[in-house]
Amino acid sequence: MAYTMPPTPAGPVGSQYCVCKVELSICGQNLLDRDVTSKSDPFCVLFMEVNGKWVELDRTETAVNNLNPAFAKKFVIDYHFEEVQKLKFALFDQDKSSTQLYEHDFLGEFSCTLGTIVSSKKITRTLLLGNGKPAGKGMITVAAQELSDNRVITLSMAGRKLDKKDLFGKSDPFLEFYKPGDDGKWMLVHRTEVIKYTLDPVWKPFTVPLVSLCDGDMEKLIKVVCYDYDSDGGHDFIGEFQTSVARLCEAQDASPLELECINPKKQKKKKSYKNSGIIIVKSCKITRDFSFLDYILGGCQLMFTVGIDFTASNGNPQEPSSLHYINPLGTNEYLSAIWAVGQIIQDYDSDKMFPALGFGAQLPPDWKVSHEFAINFNPRNPFCSGVEGIVQAYSACLPHIRFYGPTNFSPIINHVARFAAQATQQETASQYFILLIITDGVISDMDETRHAVVQASKLPMSIIIVGVGNADFAAMEFLDGDSRVLHSYTGEEAVRDIVQFVPFRNFRNVPKETLAKAVLAELPQQVVQYFKHQNLPPINSEPA
């Protein structure tokens, strides 16, 4: 479900917020041996505590037959100075291909805050079992690095005439990339996939943060090691070489860079030894991997619009049973949703003027039904000043309209989409539109709404739907494409998932910040995904 996703940061940008990315590298030592005929095949799972529950964020790869694994896959987390971010690292022995953790043997876990890791830079701790006792002699080391450098390096690698290591066939080569650690030892940064049965492999291009590969220092020596893969984990060494990113960058599409892969033992033994094959750098490109914060700091404005459901199923607003009834505390579920989302998004809009629209009501003086009306009754200027302005306009309009129906979403989605389409003509990452629809029930124009969402997925636009009341919201789950790609009635697929649905009832008895985080969980990645797809960098970005 969308609303159990871990919250992604979307708070005010300023000195009181420390928002940056932290990369965590994980190693295990002396892990429990759960396999009878061989050693454990460990993998590490990272959890973060969200609202008192552990939510899985990511997993490493599985290290075959290895009780002292150094995982190549890194965990990247947004670090918030103003929040206590509780993390749990749990290690498991992979027994089956299942993604369900209970299918695998538990090897121990360790919990702490991200602040503890960051302030120490590197910590080694005892792994504990569920009963709080040590998991044998098992230890875990977590090293943190700030990813303030957003440059990434994309390498396309191949090999030629590598040494044959398999008795009855060719080698199964893969590469490992290392950088020097603070302790003087080589630290694993990346491992390529295995290419089976060949001495002339061509690996898939891969991208890693430049900070990961060389700490952002293009002259720093890095080591590349070539192995022949063995399923028992005892990989055969083919050869290695040392180089730098600056040297790798000499490779161009038209003129690849060739580096000799050397086996030092063979080199010592044989005078005639040349090499154990050639590693070819087909291309090397350095670009910037922009984050949500990069776009916001670059001047991108979030344009916020509210759409409010005034259909008859909400009940008479004068009666306490109505979802639009404003209680003695001056609130209801509609207002709570407007406040929760609006108070965060308004920080990203410089003029803080927000259109507020209603649908499903009959309007004076002729009492015609409208599915797209300004709740301040000023169609030429539907803007409200800040979230307070929306709340005032909402309260003021309630006595003057008649709740009716049906519940049509598509007119308001298309309304915002028209403005988003205009913004694309600027061809800059300057505006992104967010439509918050608050509704009590079932959509009447589902086909038209699906079509509108699919068309809007091509635009700088996201849709947040908050369901109030206790209705069946299955149709909303359908629009939220977390589990499947949304299709229009014409069969056209949504380019990306732009709908985030949450039922308000899940958040009635929790702090209001919780609703805001859940509602905005997917928004930063949707903003970044759109601008990247359009090849639009932040407005004030430097070249890589």
Side-chain angles (χ1 to χ4, degrees), residues 64 161-176 178 191-201 203 224-240 261 263 266 276 279:
V64 179
K161 294 183 180 175
L162 298 178
D163 281 359
K164 179 174 170 289
K165 288 289 183 181
D166 293 349
L167 210 53
F168 301 108
K170 299 180 178 180
S171 294
D172 305 317
F174 67 94
L175 298 177
E176 287 188 343
Y178 292 83
R191 183 183 293 125
T192 68
E193 79 279 17
V194 176
I195 307 291
K196 291 276 194 179
Y197 317 123
T198 180
L199 304 180
D200 303 298
W203 289 283
V224 182
V225 186
C226 185
Y227 288 102
D228 167 40
Y229 174 83
D230 278 336
S231 57
D232 64 2
H235 311 304
D236 296 321
F237 175 72
I238 292 177
E240 64 183 27
C261 195
N263 183 328
K266 282 191 175 183
S276 292
I279 298 297

Side-chain angles (χ1 to χ4, degrees), residues 446-508:
M446 191 59 176
D447 282 352
E448 291 82 358
T449 294
R450 277 166 53 199
H451 187 69
V453 170
V454 168
Q455 298 312 309
S457 71
K458 305 169 193 170
L459 299 170
M461 175 173 169
S462 289
I463 302 165
I464 295 164
I465 304 173
V466 176
V468 296
N470 296 312
D472 175 10
F473 292 121
M476 309 298 178
E477 303 287 0
F478 178 74
L479 286 176
D480 187 334
D482 280 349
S483 54
R484 72 185 79 77
V485 177
L486 184 70
H487 290 78
S488 165
Y489 59 79
T490 62
E492 186 180 359
E493 284 190 356
V495 178
R496 56 199 183 93
D497 173 21
I498 63 165
V499 177
Q500 169 80 337
F501 167 71
V502 295
F504 189 91
R505 58 178 171 245
N506 290 10
F507 300 90
R508 279 177 187 148

Side-chain angles (χ1 to χ4, degrees), residues 297-474:
L297 293 171
C300 179
Q301 298 276 297
L302 299 186
M303 316 300 283
F304 181 46
T305 302
V306 178
I308 301 172
D309 179 345
F310 291 112
T311 54
S313 52
N314 282 277
N316 181 342
Q318 252 96 67
E319 295 174 8
S321 59
S322 169
L323 291 166
H324 281 291
Y325 173 74
I326 298 175
N327 64 31
L329 295 173
T331 188
N332 61 29
E333 292 191 357
Y334 279 88
L335 287 170
S336 296
I338 290 168
W339 274 114
V341 180
Q343 68 184 351
I344 288 178
I345 291 182
Q346 71 176 347
D347 289 314
Y348 298 96
D349 187 332
S350 56
D351 68 5
K352 297 182 176 26
M353 296 297 290
F354 308 121
L357 308 173
F359 60 93
Q362 295 174 316
L363 305 186
D366 54 6
W367 303 107
K368 282 186 177 170
V369 177
S370 174
H371 298 293
E372 180 193 340
F373 65 90
I375 65 170
N376 67 0
F377 300 117
N378 184 349
R380 289 187 181 171
N381 184 11
F383 296 92
C384 301
S385 177
V387 183
E388 296 90 347
I390 299 173
V391 170
Q392 287 164 10
Y394 166 77
S395 303
C397 89
L398 281 174
H400 301 291
I401 60 176
R402 291 179 188 162
F403 291 14
Y404 205 69
T407 308
N408 290 355
F409 277 20
S410 59
I412 277 187
I413 295 173
N414 290 329
H415 174 99
V416 175
R418 284 194 292 274
F419 289 95
Q422 285 174 8
T424 60
Q425 293 168 12
Q426 297 175 42
E427 295 183 355
T428 58
S430 56
Q431 291 183 322
Y432 192 92
F433 291 77
I434 293 132
L435 169 60
L436 168 64
I437 298 177
I438 314 168
T439 181
D440 81 320
V442 181
I443 302 174
S444 307
D445 63 338
M446 191 59 176
D447 282 352
E448 291 82 358
T449 294
R450 277 166 53 199
H451 187 69
V453 170
V454 168
Q455 298 312 309
S457 71
K458 305 169 193 170
L459 299 170
M461 175 173 169
S462 289
I463 302 165
I464 295 164
I465 304 173
V466 176
V468 296
N470 296 312
D472 175 10
F473 292 121

